[in-house]
Amino acid sequence: VARTRIPHFIAFANRMCTPNDSANSSVQASELEQQAVATGYSQNPDLLVAIDEATTAALASLPPLERKVIDLGIVYISSIYDGQHSPTKVVPSILETVKQHYSHIDGSIVQKIIGCSAGGLLGSTHIAGGCTPIENEGAAGVTISLCVLPDTEIRTFHLLEDDVPDDYAEMDAATWKSSVGLSKLKSSSQGDNTGIDDQCSFMLLPAPSFQTDMDDFLKGLTFNFETSAIFGGLASTVSSLSRAKLFRYDVDEPDCMQALTEGCLGAAMSGDVTFKVMVAQGAKPVGGIYRVVKGEESTIQAIQLDEAATEQLELTGEDIGDENDESDAEEMDLKKKTAAAYAKAIIPKPVLAEANYLMKTLSDEDQSFMRKLLLIGLDGNSGVGKSPSDLIRLAEGDGHRFTVHQVASAGMKDGSVTLPFGSVNIEPGNRFRFFVRSGDYAKKEVQAIWTGHQRKKLKPTPPAACFVFPTLDRGENLFSTNAFESNIIAEYLQGVPSIGGFFSNGVIGALDGSNSQVMVHGSASCYAVIGSKSNRPIYSNSQALEQVENETHVGLMANGRILDQNPTEKEEENPAPRSANGELIIKRREIHSGRALTVSAVEWSVAERIAKPSSALEGFMWNKETEVDRLRERVPLSNLVSQCKLFDMDATKPKPRGWAVSIRAAMASEQFVVIPELKRIEPFYGSLRKRYDIVKLVAQFIKGGAVALSVNCDSVLFGGSLADIKTIRDTTSNAADNELAPPPILASDLILYPYQLYKLRLAGADAVNLVVGALSGKDLLYLSKIAASLKMDVVASVTSEVQINSVTKLGSCIAAISLSNRDLETFGFDESGVQALELMKSDAMKNFSNIHPEALIFAEGRVGITEMDDGKDKSIKSYVNELKKAGVMGAIVGGGLAASKDDFKEFRMHLNSEFA
């Protein structure tokens, strides 16, 4: 895996820390049996075949069994398979495949198995010198890890809600352990002197229904096994219609071959095995550091800014918010100045009052999150002598400073906040920070955690494996790229033979080993690195590949990778299917498919059998179809049609402004008309502005001479809404009152149904943008005619000559055509800008211009950012000049304006200066 650019906080840690010396081995490595963890993965659509393939792949990576046993098997099954086969067949299928593989060995080979259903899987395929990680979210699949753990005692257990005492502190250890079925285990204080201590490590797989009793169980477990490593994840499903499953097998317990739906499964491991547990919270700190002034139990009533701690934080370069960003202090009225002075004052304040002020200093994205969910972090009292910045601390290997909690309730009268009961014990003086979720910060946090792990690790040998348990709302949803976390692990744990895990409904672990509270974390990832206490040798994948080559019992070798008859390797992503004319083949959403639903801090799944879109456009369409379906359930189409008729008859309602007419009038004095586009987010680039103040932006555009506006009102990819159109309409109407020409509004959305056109008209749109690549010829004609009947101009956005030909056939209902640089397969852009230029110079465009001589021609996509070399210099103006020479009349500009330091008038004049 290619190493990414080292972030500044890791570079800072590199200057401050040096690696520790490796620990001396307590036993000669050559005398010990090898420790091994092998992971197999399959996406076969048939469950039993997938289990066989995954188990076979894992077996191929195991060493010869000196003790003729596999100590532990761990299985994760996608809930997509629900209803295909009985869950009671999972464990027997694994045992049968193992038995066939080791047909020469008598007796039970696999000693223990635990596992659960999953809404997503992590696995790996073995290669020379390591492994290739795989992450599979919301699709069918099976991951199986087989563990050979010499000199390790393993006990599996299953407990139900009624088994968990809630008064653990008042019970002796023997009574508590007997209640939860752990009576045979020694507490951490009861170890012997055999050289390898009996400290237990616990892997837990609870059903979601067990979560209410999980806190009591974890408190009792840490109380009686205070130095033990505890980790795991809550079982999950792809569909809310499915019920989470737990799987257990134990050779020491007769008839223990279980498929369960309730309780908590666990494996207690003691002996020559060790786990390093880490948790990534995915939460970005915002604002300064505070101290609790008044609070008790789990309620915080008043806080006060800790000036000294906040100043130290600023010295590390951490952005704690800028309340003056994009605002003019002189324009603030007395009321606002008073509120700002109060917020800055070093006096105790209610938590909600400070949160409300802090929110105003944040970006739109962070504000949006903070309005939905309030996260606070409490200092673990481990900050003495260490960096106040969490990222730098993590990169130095010092762990998190703040443990993030979700606010359970808030007091509207006194501004207090209450955390989940029993999760904390608030005391005056506790340090405190506000947090928000952030994908960019989460990436930095993951990198910092693994940088710190490398610095603090004591053993030079690679670990046997890494078990990974992210929550369902991480993965591609958070990082915008597949397998980000597992690739980072493979990069930092170079040579690790195995990575496995599943996407869970919550992760279990302490933030930094045994130094902090073990708890269930939402929107987090838990990493458990498995190794040997005695520095026992680890069976490597290079040895596995050599074994396969010599025995030829699995497949062939090619480029260091195993090629099985039934390969389970991650397949290369195939390009989206296209028709003979090169256009994307788009399938409409399956009626019985659903979508994932975010509830609180964790994304719970509500989709029954999710199909994977073959392109970004197809996925966008499926989401849009779901959105429109929900709107129709509330307001039927017939109701909208009636509203539009009444709307037209009402003289007080706004009438359509001529979007194309306004632009033609401007062309008399301007050679290249710039249409500013308002949008919050660009899919590939995130938020375009720190603060998206529509009213302020529209006022600036009108003042700068905008003759028309475009607004992206899509909520799926661009963060817009229909309310944005109404806000802009009202703002432009106010401009008319000030004797400024009110510019007409082009509504940009992925329009698939007439229903959307009626909604846009009622919101105040004067024109609509149709994405031609998403529509068949009949749909394009139908929607164009309905838009014309509603007196809205139609702008057709095209990305190919085939699409231009479709628009040419429409007749007079097209007011303009927009040549886009967007790639509909990925929704990225042609950064060179050549796509729009070539379309303008194409025969299809010449034919369009001959048939539609009155139609306006625009370009869109990175105009104002893309540079072109004209032989003299490379500049933005050179690209615009080429567009103009080719016959383009103007551009719809969104990201280019957001990236420019000029105001709109200067930007517009700059692009026209070449033609003056």
Side-chain angles (χ1 to χ4, degrees), residues 864-865 894-904 906-907 910:
I865 296 177
L897 274 170
S900 175
K901 296 180 180 178
D902 297 335
D903 63 26
F904 177 67
E906 291 171 338
F907 182 87
H910 178 68

Side-chain angles (χ1 to χ4, degrees), residues 159-471:
L159 64 153
L160 298 171
E161 290 84 343
D162 294 340
D163 299 329
V164 182
D166 55 6
D167 52 350
Y168 65 93
E170 299 176 7
M171 303 172 68
D172 61 80
T175 304
W176 185 87
K177 288 192 289 184
S178 178
S179 298
V180 299
L182 300 175
S183 56
K184 295 182 180 180
L185 299 180
K186 295 179 181 180
S187 296
S188 42
S189 59
Q190 297 176 308
D192 54 33
N193 297 315
T194 59
I196 297 176
D197 64 67
D198 285 324
Q199 174 184 320
C200 281
S201 297
F202 293 90
M203 178 176 175
L204 305 177
L205 299 175
S209 59
F210 191 78
Q211 189 168 0
T212 54
D213 295 276
M214 201 66 207
D215 286 341
D216 286 334
F217 177 57
L218 290 176
K219 288 175 182 177
L221 198 60
T222 53
F223 184 80
N224 289 283
F225 300 90
E226 58 185 357
T227 59
S228 295
I230 302 170
F231 63 93
L234 275 70
S236 60
T237 61
V238 176
S239 169
S240 62
L241 303 177
S242 300
R243 193 171 186 182
K245 308 292 192 306
L246 306 176
F247 308 105
R248 181 190 178 209
Y249 166 76
D250 197 319
V251 74
D252 296 329
E253 297 186 29
D255 302 321
C256 182
M257 192 179 293
Q258 300 170 315
L260 309 157
T261 58
E262 296 180 347
C264 176
L265 272 187
M269 293 164 271
S270 61
D272 191 17
V273 64
T274 182
F275 289 90
K276 168 64 177 176
V277 179
M278 300 167 284
V279 173
Q281 300 184 103
K284 177 180 72 174
V286 292
I289 297 176
Y290 302 85
R291 282 191 180 274
V292 175
V293 176
K294 185 178 180 182
E296 59 181 354
E297 295 183 341
S298 56
T299 299
I300 306 172
Q301 295 166 305
I303 56 176
Q304 181 177 0
L305 186 68
D306 188 327
E307 283 189 291
T310 302
E311 286 176 3
Q312 287 182 348
L313 197 64
E314 291 174 333
L315 292 176
T316 68
E318 184 172 316
D319 181 13
I320 63 171
D322 181 3
E323 62 271 14
N324 293 319
D325 186 54
E326 295 186 12
S327 63
D328 187 351
E330 295 181 1
E331 295 179 359
M332 296 175 66
D333 57 27
L334 181 60
K335 192 173 182 180
K336 288 183 179 178
K337 287 181 179 179
T338 303
Y342 167 75
K344 292 179 182 178
I346 312 303
I347 58 175
K349 308 179 190 70
V351 180
L352 291 185
E354 185 64 17
N356 284 330
Y357 174 75
L358 174 63
M359 204 182 304
K360 299 174 185 176
T361 73
L362 304 178
S363 68
D364 283 352
E365 193 172 341
D366 291 343
Q367 281 188 42
S368 176
F369 178 87
M370 207 165 175
R371 287 192 181 97
K372 298 174 187 174
L373 191 69
L374 191 59
L375 300 178
I376 63 171
L378 294 175
D379 193 343
N381 297 319
S382 59
V384 179
K386 300 174 182 177
S387 172
S389 167
D390 249 22
L391 289 178
I392 294 175
R393 284 169 55 95
L394 290 170
E396 291 172 351
D398 292 328
H400 292 82
R401 179 177 183 180
F402 292 90
T403 302
V404 177
H405 302 267
Q406 179 181 326
V407 170
S409 63
M412 293 299 104
K413 291 185 179 180
D414 62 358
S416 64
V417 296
T418 300
L419 304 180
F421 181 74
S423 60
V424 294
N425 185 23
I426 301 296
E427 295 179 359
N430 288 152
R431 281 195 171 96
F432 167 107
R433 288 197 80 177
F434 292 100
F435 285 78
V436 296
R437 297 284 177 212
S438 165
D440 289 339
Y441 185 89
K443 287 183 177 180
K444 296 175 184 177
E445 181 193 26
V446 172
Q447 288 178 306
I449 285 173
W450 286 102
T451 299
H453 172 74
Q454 290 294 85
R455 295 193 165 282
K456 292 291 185 179
K457 73 174 184 179
L458 299 176
K459 299 177 181 178
T461 56
C466 182
F467 297 150
V468 189
F469 308 96
T471 49

Side-chain angles (χ1 to χ4, degrees), residues 557-666:
M557 285 291 296
N559 299 322
R561 195 178 291 268
I562 293 179
L563 300 179
D564 281 357
Q565 298 302 318
N566 294 305
T568 58
E569 296 182 39
K570 183 179 181 181
E571 297 179 1
E572 295 292 330
E573 291 188 7
N574 294 322
R578 293 180 180 268
S579 59
N581 61 13
E583 290 298 290
L584 288 171
I585 297 175
I586 303 295
K587 295 182 297 183
R588 287 300 182 100
R589 177 177 57 97
E590 294 180 12
I591 295 174
H592 298 294
S593 292
R595 278 286 172 262
L597 174 68
T598 300
V599 179
S600 183
V602 179
E603 182 170 322
W604 301 74
S605 43
V606 299
E608 170 93 90
R609 292 190 180 259
I610 279 189
K612 283 194 171 182
S614 61
S615 64
L617 175 61
E618 191 172 78
F620 189 10
M621 289 175 65
W622 291 359
N623 279 291
K624 185 60 64 175
E625 288 172 318
T626 302
E627 178 186 280
V628 175
D629 283 348
R630 290 172 181 164
L631 291 172
R632 282 172 172 158
E633 289 173 0
R634 292 184 219 136
V635 182
L637 177 61
S638 58
N639 191 315
L640 288 184
V641 173
S642 299
Q643 287 185 50
C644 281
K645 289 179 180 178
L646 293 173
F647 196 86
D648 287 339
M649 294 169 61
D650 190 342
T652 63
K653 298 295 182 182
K655 303 305 176 188
R657 303 166 184 162
W659 193 83
V661 171
S662 179
I663 293 170
R664 287 193 187 95

Side-chain angles (χ1 to χ4, degrees), residues 704-909:
V707 296
L709 300 173
S710 174
V711 55
N712 199 310
C713 53
D714 163 67
S715 62
V716 177
L717 292 183
F718 297 92
S721 69
L722 286 172
D724 292 346
I725 299 176
K726 188 177 185 309
T727 300
I728 294 171
R729 186 85 188 194
D730 293 341
T731 305
T732 56
S733 297
N734 293 335
D737 296 337
N738 296 324
E739 299 183 351
L740 293 173
I745 302 166
L746 168 68
S748 291
D749 197 351
L750 183 59
I751 298 171
L752 305 175
Y753 301 104
Y755 187 95
Q756 296 167 272
L757 295 174
Y758 288 99
K759 291 284 285 186
L760 292 171
R761 179 67 194 96
L762 290 171
D766 302 300
V768 292
N769 192 347
L770 299 181
V771 179
V772 179
L775 301 169
S776 66
K778 290 181 179 179
D779 287 343
L780 182 61
L781 178 61
Y782 184 45
L783 292 172
S784 300
K785 287 185 175 181
I786 292 176
S789 71
L790 293 171
K791 301 177 183 178
M792 294 190 294
D793 288 340
V794 174
V795 179
S797 177
V798 297
T799 59
S800 70
E801 291 186 51
V802 174
Q803 295 170 25
I804 294 173
N805 290 332
S806 296
V807 177
T808 303
K809 299 174 185 177
L810 291 181
S812 60
C813 53
I814 292 295
I817 190 168
S818 182
L819 310 176
S820 176
N821 280 314
R822 193 178 290 281
D823 178 359
L824 296 181
E825 182 173 345
T826 64
F827 252 68
F829 288 103
D830 171 17
E831 298 287 346
S832 70
V834 172
Q835 180 170 297
L837 267 175
E838 289 184 346
L839 289 176
M840 187 64 229
K841 298 174 182 178
S842 68
D843 292 337
M845 197 62 208
K846 291 176 183 176
N847 185 43
F848 173 84
S849 298
N850 290 333
I851 297 175
H852 301 276
E854 298 298 319
L856 301 172
I857 303 172
F858 288 93
E860 63 177 330
R862 310 303 279 169
V863 179
I865 296 177
T866 297
E867 297 179 339
M868 185 163 281
D869 193 341
D870 61 359
K872 297 179 181 178
D873 66 341
K874 188 176 182 180
S875 66
I876 293 171
K877 288 194 293 183
S878 296
Y879 178 60
V880 172
N881 196 22
E882 288 299 315
L883 289 172
K884 176 62 181 177
K885 287 178 181 178
V888 177
M889 303 169 183
I892 300 171
V893 183
L897 274 170
S900 175
K901 296 180 180 178
D902 297 335
D903 63 26
F904 177 67
K905 184 176 182 179
E906 291 171 338
F907 182 87
R908 182 170 59 86
M909 298 303 292

